[in-house]
Amino acid sequence: MLDWLRRDPSEEPMIELAGRQVPVVIRRLPQARRMTMRLAPDGSEVRISVPRWTRTEDALEFARSKRSWLAIQIEALPEAQPLADGAALDFRGHRFTIRHDSALPRRPVPDDGFLLVGGPESSLSARLKRWLEGEAREVLATDLAEYCERAGQETPSLSLSSANRRWGSCAADGSIRINWRLIMAPDPVRRSVVAHEVAHLVHFDHSPAFHDFLGQIFEGSIPSANRWLKENGRSLYVPFG
């Protein structure tokens, strides 16, 4: 699953980065042969995957040794810009320029590179978010049904997630949650996350059998989609946090 278990941040070890305290989440994986580390897309935590036998202090020392690199990553996080007339907003991998006119319909309409939207300026951000969430619910439901058909599985219930720490998850009861922000990403990236969670309906692990099955049902390149999320995922948190 593309998820990290939710924990109380106050219970996690902390590391100071760029003048702020950031939790360090350590995950012990049976298949891990070395320590790997990355920053959560929104900068909310440092994630370290380690072999099962690794001591917590060794993992923390690994994070401390990379403090300069982590600080650079924190400082490089995109800054949110007000969503107003002339601002940019991504939708399904395409960048649109917001054109706000109070006389236009309140529901946003993509039109030749512009996103036309009316209504009061004071509630513009909220309307844009509701529109994206609505589009995400419809598109993700279609994705889910398609991959479940390919996987030979009944289509489970779908919930939209607003989590800051995961793109998707598949629960033990088969229910699936997908981060609504993926509607801003290119279609293959969004679909790769849905396919990933559907593959967990068959293999509830990250075994070779899981990855082989995922490759069978997903039509694109998993490495390319993962690389996009690693390089650009943080940008999906910029417009609405």
Side-chain angles (χ1 to χ4, degrees):
M1 289 155 279
L2 293 179
D3 62 340
W4 289 72
L5 296 177
R6 284 188 173 274
R7 302 175 174 88
D8 182 347
S10 66
E11 298 177 356
E12 301 291 351
M14 309 290 283
I15 185 172
E16 183 176 347
L17 300 172
R20 65 190 244 199
Q21 294 293 319
V22 180
V24 179
V25 177
I26 301 171
R27 193 180 188 193
R28 290 177 170 80
L29 303 177
Q31 69 272 26
R33 295 294 177 265
R34 60 188 179 88
M35 287 190 281
T36 60
M37 180 176 63
R38 62 190 177 95
L39 191 67
D42 61 346
S44 62
E45 63 185 21
V46 175
R47 300 170 175 175
I48 305 179
S49 296
V50 300
R52 286 182 297 181
W53 57 82
T54 303
R55 296 188 311 152
T56 296
E57 183 56 36
D58 290 338
L60 293 176
E61 183 57 35
F62 178 61
R64 296 186 194 108
S65 72
K66 303 294 184 181
R67 183 182 276 114
S68 296
W69 177 83
L70 288 167
I72 291 173
Q73 299 300 307
I74 286 280
E75 292 172 345
L77 289 173
E79 294 185 7
Q81 300 295 324
L83 290 176
D85 184 66
L89 185 65
D90 291 344
F91 175 61
R92 297 186 68 168
H94 300 284
R95 180 146 296 182
F96 289 83
T97 299
I98 297 171
R99 281 290 175 258
H100 174 252
D101 183 331
S102 59
L104 291 170
R106 294 189 176 213
R107 178 179 172 81
V109 177
D111 182 20
D112 194 25
F114 293 97
L115 194 58
L116 309 179
V117 57
E121 186 176 7
S122 60
S123 57
L124 177 60
S125 179
R127 287 198 305 285
L128 289 169
K129 183 180 179 182
R130 285 196 300 271
W131 174 70
L132 286 174
E133 289 175 333
E135 293 293 318
R137 188 178 302 279
E138 181 177 337
V139 172
L140 287 168
T142 300
D143 293 339
L144 181 61
E146 180 179 341
Y147 285 119
C148 283
E149 182 178 1
R150 294 184 188 183
Q153 301 291 310
E154 293 291 328
T155 303
S157 63
L158 170 69
S159 298
L160 295 186
S161 165
S162 59
N164 291 328
R165 303 185 181 185
R166 66 180 80 179
W167 296 118
S169 64
C170 177
D173 64 1
S175 59
I176 286 177
R177 294 173 60 85
I178 304 293
N179 196 313
W180 68 267
R181 296 176 181 86
L182 288 169
I183 195 63
M184 293 183 276
D187 288 352
V189 175
R190 180 198 73 248
R191 285 172 62 83
S192 75
V193 175
V194 180
H196 184 113
E197 302 309 333
V198 169
H200 278 308
L201 297 174
V202 179
H203 299 282
F204 202 64
D205 54 30
H206 285 113
S207 64
F210 163 82
H211 290 290
D212 181 67
F213 187 74
L214 175 57
Q216 293 177 40
I217 65 172
F218 182 59
E219 69 282 1
S221 168
I222 292 295
S224 293
N226 289 344
R227 184 164 54 252
W228 191 97
L229 283 172
K230 180 179 180 180
E231 296 175 354
N232 304 284
R234 296 173 193 169
S235 67
L236 303 184
Y237 289 84
V238 173
F240 306 98

